[in-house]
Amino acid sequence: MRLRNVKGSRDTIADSEFVIHDEKSNRGQWNKIFGNDNPINIEIGMGKGMFITEMARRNPDINYIGIEKYSSVLVRAIEKRELEENMKNLFFIRMDAEEIEEVFGNEEVSYIYLNFSDPWPKDRHAKRRLTSDRFLNRYKNILTKDGAIQFKTDNVMLFDFSLESIEESGWKIDAMTRDLHHSDYNEGNVMTEYEKKFSEMGNPINMVRFRP
Ligand code: SAM
């Protein structure tokens, strides 16, 4: 994600009714924010929010939380969210995924989406990849008993690394394809900004769904 300093982004985020600011104080009680007990699905590293906003539009009985580290990107998601006047099931958090267990309680999240996560190509940065065993262990704690993760990327190196990490961590793969858009799993697929860009360039999209 190219990070341009978007003027006033911090103020926009501070003023937005769609951003939860005291996220750690909601640990274990996110259902109160939504005012119902519907399942909570999160996207970690949502970027400009195209995917999660469309998911929330299509599935009003699921609660969505989009997580993004950078203000300059989050403001773009807020702009999209502001156009959805009647939407009640989507909020955002500006945070680093490193702190995910401080924000969500045990078994609080039903589904995690990881879309086109940063590849961190250098070996010495492998621990920062959002599909490293370090992160998988954190996700395991916040996922419900029947919870699962879906990961999409066009990056073959990152995908192979993730499959190894999933296997070594003892997770079970429910579905996997190295060419999502030409597979049966493409039905109902919601594209992300990066997915649109890279598939238009001709890159096949890898996808895996897995559970602890
Ligand atoms: N998911 C979007 C898509 O598919 O279009 C954006 C993909 S972009 C390559 C990765 C995004 O993840 C960036 O917006 C980046 O700021 C965010 N990100 C990377 N590491 C993160 C972390 N540790 N916590 C939260 N967000 C993170």
Side-chain angles (χ1 to χ4, degrees), residues 43 45 68-70 95-97 115-116 118 192-194:
E43 183 186 8
E68 172 52 51
K69 189 170 164 179
Y70 291 107
M95 62 173 274
D96 191 320
N115 291 320
F116 296 78
D118 291 342
T192 79
E193 266 107 355
Y194 270 62

Side-chain angles (χ1 to χ4, degrees), residues 187-198:
E187 203 187 317
N189 179 52
V190 172
M191 293 238 256
T192 79
E193 266 107 355
Y194 270 62
E195 182 171 357
K196 193 166 179 299
K197 185 170 105 181
F198 288 124

Side-chain angles (χ1 to χ4, degrees), residues 75-205:
V75 283
R76 300 302 179 213
I78 293 172
E79 284 165 7
K80 286 189 188 71
R81 177 70 181 83
E82 282 170 351
L83 301 175
E84 305 288 335
E85 280 177 18
N86 298 321
M87 191 178 271
K88 305 262 183 279
N89 60 331
L90 175 61
F91 287 99
F92 302 132
I93 308 174
R94 188 181 67 76
M95 62 173 274
D96 191 320
E98 297 272 351
E99 300 190 322
I100 200 85
E101 287 172 285
E102 292 166 51
V103 172
F104 296 101
N106 288 350
E107 299 185 30
E108 194 166 21
V109 173
S110 296
Y111 212 90
I112 300 175
Y113 294 97
L114 300 171
N115 291 320
F116 296 78
S117 308
D118 291 342
W120 293 104
K122 291 184 182 147
D123 281 349
R124 68 188 155 91
H125 291 147
K127 280 195 179 326
R128 297 184 193 177
R129 296 174 193 152
L130 293 182
T131 51
S132 67
D133 57 348
R134 214 165 56 100
F135 276 101
L136 294 189
N137 286 334
R138 292 173 176 147
Y139 304 151
K140 195 182 277 182
N141 291 332
I142 64 167
L143 276 176
T144 55
K145 284 210 165 40
D146 55 354
I149 298 180
Q150 177 176 284
F151 171 54
K152 295 195 279 189
T153 182
D154 68 316
N155 187 306
V156 176
M157 181 282 294
L158 180 63
F159 195 65
D160 288 343
F161 167 88
S162 305
L163 292 179
E164 265 177 46
S165 169
I166 290 166
E167 194 182 324
E168 282 166 14
S169 303
W171 293 54
K172 180 180 167 293
I173 291 181
D174 289 335
M176 198 271 275
T177 172
R178 289 185 181 267
D179 192 357
L180 173 62
H181 295 176
H182 298 102
S183 78
D184 293 344
Y185 301 120
N186 198 42
E187 203 187 317
N189 179 52
V190 172
M191 293 238 256
T192 79
E193 266 107 355
Y194 270 62
E195 182 171 357
K196 193 166 179 299
K197 185 170 105 181
F198 288 124
S199 59
E200 281 170 4
M201 286 163 61
N203 296 5
I205 305 302

